[in-house]
Amino acid sequence: MRQFRGRIGEDQVVELAETFRLMSDPTRLRIILSCLDSAVAVGDIADRLGISGSLVSHHLRLLRAARLLQAERRGRQVFYAVGDEHVRSMLTDMTDHVSEEVETEVEGEPAAPDLPGWRRRTLSLPLARDLPMVQGPGTGPETKARHRPPWRQRREGPERRPA
């Protein structure tokens, strides 16, 4: 097992957070996973995922800028693939992690994996959309109003233009 090398710079933390933010979108993640084994053309990605070619191109532009995918032109088509072995191994490991089974003890029976009292079950994690929304500091509507540009500020009182 590899050891964490220690502290990383603030700019690297920001870049890492941005990389994970890009991969947090399910469509982008499916695009990356479809390019994991071999180079795939934009049209083929769109067909596999059932989305428009322009939407795929938009996501590919962002993923390529973040160095998650590499592009290669072959004639009139551009093929995309995961070119970095670090990205490939991380996604493969995380896919294995999500799909692995967890051993659990059946209540009232022996606690050893090789005995009949043990069974395997799939670990089920809650999805983020199923969790309650938590309002932390700086996430409420008052913060959003404070950070609006001047032309987007809501006007109060008689100087407000009618709709």
Side-chain angles (χ1 to χ4, degrees):
M1 178 156 232
R2 294 184 303 221
Q3 293 290 325
F4 182 64
R5 291 185 225 159
R7 295 181 176 253
I8 61 174
E10 186 63 29
D11 55 338
Q12 290 173 318
V13 169
V14 171
E15 184 178 351
L16 187 60
E18 180 64 16
T19 300
F20 282 116
R21 186 190 67 77
L22 283 171
M23 290 190 301
S24 71
D25 180 76
T27 302
R28 286 190 203 120
L29 188 57
R30 286 198 311 260
I31 290 171
I32 296 170
L33 292 173
S34 69
C35 299
L36 205 57
D37 296 326
S38 62
V40 185
V42 178
D44 295 337
I45 296 171
D47 291 342
R48 285 183 192 177
L49 302 180
I51 57 178
S52 70
S54 61
L55 182 59
V56 171
S57 294
H58 168 72
H59 287 303
L60 286 170
R61 180 181 60 82
L62 297 172
L63 295 170
R64 199 176 75 220
R67 298 180 303 154
L68 291 169
L69 293 178
Q70 293 178 344
E72 177 188 346
R73 180 173 291 281
R74 297 181 197 162
R76 292 180 50 170
Q77 288 188 316
V78 179
F79 288 79
Y80 290 86
V82 175
D84 190 342
E85 190 56 39
H86 295 108
V87 175
R88 178 179 282 108
S89 67
M90 184 222 19
L91 286 171
T92 303
D93 289 346
M94 291 307 295
T95 304
D96 292 344
H97 174 73
V98 168
S99 59
E100 74 185 3
E101 293 181 348
V102 177
E103 293 183 2
T104 58
E105 182 181 345
V106 176
E107 192 172 322
E109 296 192 21
D114 57 343
L115 297 176
W118 278 72
R119 66 175 179 201
R120 295 180 74 77
R121 73 174 177 87
T122 304
L123 178 64
S124 175
L125 298 174
L127 298 175
R129 67 172 183 247
D130 299 332
L131 298 175
M133 186 75 141
V134 177
Q135 289 284 327
T139 60
E142 69 283 348
T143 305
K144 291 180 182 175
R146 199 172 45 233
H147 294 293
R148 284 192 183 108
W151 62 88
R152 295 266 188 204
Q153 295 288 337
R154 293 210 169 104
R155 295 188 183 116
E156 302 295 330
E159 69 274 358
R160 186 172 182 183
R161 283 184 259 159

